[in-house]
Amino acid sequence: MKNGQNYGGLDRFRILAAILVIAIHTSPLESYSADADFFLTRILARAAVPFFFMVTGQFVLSPQLASRTRAPGTVRFSRGREQRAVWSYLGKLALVYGGCVAVYLPLGIYAGHYRGLTLGKAVQMLVFEGTFYHLWYFPACMLGILLVTLLGRFLGLRGTLLVSGALYVIGLLGDSYYGVAQRIPALSSVYDAIFQISPYTRNGLFFAPLFLALGCLMGGGRQKACRDHLWVWSCFVLSFVLMSKEGFLLRRLGFQRHDSMYVFLVPVMIFLYEILLSVRSRSVKRLRSISTWVYIVHPAMIVAVRGAARIVHMTELLVDNSLIHYAAVTVLSIAAAAVISYFGDWVKGAGAPGATLSERGKERRGRAWIELDREALSQNVEALLAMLPDHCALMPAVKADAYGHGAVLIARELNRIGVEAFCVASAGEGEELRREGVRGEILVLGYTDPTQFDLLHRCRLTQTIVDYQYAERLNGYGKRLHVHIGVDTGMHRLGIGYEQRDFIMDIFEMKNLAVDGLFTHLCTSDGQALKEQSFTDLQARRFYSVVDDLERNGYSCPKLHLQSSYGILNYPKLAEDYARVGIALYGVLSTREDTKRWEDVLRPVLSLKARVACVRRLCCGETAGYGMAFTAQRDMEIATITVGYGDGLPRNLSGGQGFVLINGRRAPVVGRICMDQTIVDVSGIPDVKAGDVAVLIGKSGDKEISAGDLAGWAGTITNEILSRMGARLERVMV
């Protein structure tokens, strides 16, 4: 994606990495060429396991960073809840490892792996070697995570990288460069001692930490859209060529004790990972599960293929032909992994892949609820990014509970597809996102009272400077806080006046404030009239004059942002580092007319639905609802639906001003809307019964009521309609 945080490429490469691991253990080209097989299994395939470590570093360790500064080496690991998440992951990894040990124990006994096993050897196998040949990855990953977390606590990311790099060099001399160590008696003695503890230096002490730390750096510690793609590809190709030459040279010299670690493997992985992060492709959670299971089950599939070949007397074809053997094992492994993955979801009661049970459970949609269209949200992200240059990232506004959609659900989903910057209205909203594990920069657009400055620091929130006096109070807090400076260019709401350049420069000098951004708000970007366009242009000129002055005076301008939703649509030329997309992200615009104009590009994310509680006959002359506001002019059928103004349905839609959809037909509101219920006329709609679904926003059959329709009937804008949706409405992602 264009915001520089894309995980579709990573997800797809996981499968390739797992297939490369199978190649390491089956030697596909051995029957044809020893050199070709060495290249495939001992050079090309050596990217697989470091890739898995880097992914773990990005998604397990980098979200735990206490600050996400852009300069490598300034990141520090946090305490508290974030560290508990690391321990939780380690616990899950240990359970998987324990299960694998149990599953492969009979096979190991049959193969004679445990003959003459002592207590010391058993501990060595569990901690370093793995109890079966491919299981070394799990203890290596756990030990590496512990080491990187410990180093990060005291040394930060730069120090962690330096120490883990030094450990990798030590590991090199016990792996591909062991021939060098052997020629130096002192080193040879050291490595003899090391090999008494672990049979290989390809383990969680010397191998895993560097790639885990690199995953933190690549995935969480910096922006990735800044690199030229041709330059990255060129560096990757050059590094890979050099690694290939390195591997063959070491093989020819006879230096290799093992062949997992190369000098040029490090730059190969850095540039490969950067390429994968730049791939514009949707994340596929299913591939993560399948690739993990491929890694776990493939040794069993090797045994299965060999056993089946003996039974059907096809050993010469299925085993002796190394390429066919590899193909058979790969196909069986992927098939078994897919079955296990889908079966696991079925056991959990799964519906859509990747959704949590709380997001799927139709049985929980009882009274009234909001459905969120995951695919529509992703499509809107792609569409908005397509309007922006590559260097511009989305900073979605998830304030007011993500315009009523559910801030946590929306932010988590946006995290999943690669968005890592958000803006909220208050520190409390930011705290909730952090509490629920949302990653990335969170900018508080509004005022935070000094009594809550500790919340800004503890939750790693970025605060907007609303005026110069406020900056002084933030600086006086005494602890490092990250801020964006709001520049008032004509809206006169919050921010320092564009003409007050000296005050803005003073803020850059405040020792306790890290200025990460500079922004303004365009107050007429939604209008197309000449007056509105002229004022938007004036605001932009004022903002850029501030930027120019800062740069002339030696202040390096941080992240800049001017656009909100209408700014993206109407003024794409004003794209900078961030675009604070709000209502457009959710597939609607402020009015029905504007929404209609962009309906081919943006899809509504939210649907509002409720249940029919009961259906009854209303005779001519009878009244219904509070104040006898409605009197039947004929015999009719009415239905009570389980939603009201307490859920955000505007009360001024009473008396036939609003409609709902039931069974694909319109049902007008009857009488006054109540706090919890609404009465509608269902005369002429066949087969309406208790438990049926009434649609207030969304589609039913070929009919649709949009948020814009509701706003138009109520005489307001969609922003207000959506943001007033009540908290008691359950939000479900579908």
Side-chain angles (χ1 to χ4, degrees), residues 663-697:
N663 295 342
R665 298 195 184 183
R666 273 192 171 197
V669 174
V670 167
R672 295 175 185 169
I673 292 173
C674 308
M675 179 181 286
D676 312 307
Q677 287 139 6
T678 298
I679 302 171
V680 297
D681 179 4
V682 294
S683 304
I685 303 179
D687 302 323
V688 179
K689 60 186 180 301
D692 283 352
V693 174
V695 178
L696 293 95
I697 298 175

Side-chain angles (χ1 to χ4, degrees), residues 487 489 498 501 518 520 537-552 557 560-563 572-577:
V487 180
T489 57
Y498 71 95
R501 315 294 168 83
L518 199 73
T520 193
D537 290 340
L538 175 63
Q539 283 191 274
R541 289 198 304 273
R542 288 171 171 174
F543 180 75
Y544 286 120
S545 70
V546 174
V547 174
D548 290 342
D549 262 9
L550 287 171
E551 290 179 344
R552 275 195 297 269
C557 280
L560 305 177
H561 43 112
L562 299 85
Q563 297 167 308
K573 65 181 180 180
L574 298 180
E576 288 295 341
D577 297 291

Side-chain angles (χ1 to χ4, degrees), residues 185-488:
L187 278 180
S188 181
S189 299
V190 169
Y191 282 95
D192 286 344
I194 289 174
F195 294 138
Q196 292 299 311
I197 301 171
S198 171
Y200 303 108
T201 53
R202 173 219 60 184
N203 57 34
L205 182 61
F206 301 110
F207 184 51
L210 178 60
F211 295 106
L212 289 165
L214 285 173
C216 284
L217 176 69
M218 301 294 294
R222 64 195 190 102
Q223 297 291 324
K224 287 162 279 293
C226 58
R227 296 286 192 96
D228 177 78
H229 291 300
L230 180 60
W231 187 86
V232 173
W233 271 101
S234 299
C235 291
F236 168 70
V237 171
L238 177 61
S239 300
F240 184 75
V241 168
L242 292 173
M243 186 176 87
S244 301
K245 289 183 176 295
E246 178 186 14
F248 277 104
L249 176 62
L250 293 171
R251 178 188 181 215
R252 183 167 61 83
L253 294 173
F255 280 5
Q256 295 172 316
R257 185 177 188 275
H258 199 252
D259 40 38
S260 292
M261 303 171 73
Y262 297 107
V263 170
F264 285 102
L265 177 61
V266 177
V268 163
M269 294 312 303
I270 290 172
F271 294 115
L272 172 63
Y273 207 79
E274 188 154 3
I275 289 168
L276 294 173
L277 285 171
S278 70
V279 173
R280 291 194 64 196
S281 181
R282 186 176 301 171
S283 295
V284 185
K285 188 175 182 180
R286 175 69 63 197
L287 295 180
R288 305 173 203 171
S289 173
I290 291 175
S291 63
T292 300
W293 282 111
V294 167
Y295 185 92
I296 290 172
V297 305
H298 78 271
M301 297 304 105
I302 292 173
V303 174
V305 168
R306 291 178 178 176
R310 283 196 296 269
I311 292 171
V312 299
H313 306 292
M314 296 180 68
T315 299
E316 185 176 350
L317 176 66
L318 292 176
V319 178
D320 295 343
N321 187 311
S322 59
L323 188 57
I324 294 177
H325 177 58
Y326 168 66
V329 172
T330 299
V331 170
L332 273 182
S333 298
I334 293 174
V339 170
I340 295 169
S341 176
Y342 277 93
F343 180 74
D345 276 350
W346 180 80
V347 168
K348 297 175 188 175
T356 63
L357 191 60
S358 65
E359 291 174 313
R360 301 185 196 106
K362 290 187 177 181
E363 70 280 0
R364 296 189 60 191
R365 302 177 197 176
R367 173 188 168 271
W369 67 95
I370 286 170
E371 290 181 3
L372 303 171
D373 187 333
R374 173 184 275 112
E375 186 178 336
L377 180 64
S378 180
Q379 178 180 305
N380 293 342
V381 169
E382 294 285 351
L384 291 162
L385 285 171
M387 301 177 196
L388 299 167
D390 286 341
H391 69 270
C392 185
L394 293 183
M395 180 184 266
V398 290
K399 59 185 180 176
D401 205 21
Y403 290 62
H405 291 63
V408 171
L409 272 178
I410 291 293
R412 280 178 173 172
E413 181 64 17
L414 291 172
N415 261 174
R416 187 183 70 82
I417 62 177
V419 176
E420 298 229 342
F422 303 92
C423 45
V424 295
S426 68
E429 289 180 338
E431 179 191 29
E432 181 186 18
L433 296 182
R434 286 289 189 239
R435 191 169 59 244
E436 297 299 329
V438 174
R439 306 186 303 273
E441 182 173 9
I442 299 177
L443 171 63
V444 179
L445 293 171
Y447 172 84
T448 299
D449 190 79
T451 59
Q452 291 188 309
F453 284 174
D454 182 61
L455 200 60
L456 298 174
H457 184 263
R458 189 173 73 250
C459 295
R460 310 180 314 281
L461 306 177
T462 303
Q463 174 62 44
T464 292
I465 301 291
V466 302
D467 60 26
Y468 183 73
Q469 291 72 27
Y470 189 66
E472 290 182 314
R473 298 191 75 176
L474 286 165
N475 187 54
Y477 171 63
K479 295 180 182 178
R480 188 77 163 171
L481 295 175
H482 290 264
V483 299
H484 282 208
I485 301 174
V487 180
D488 180 10

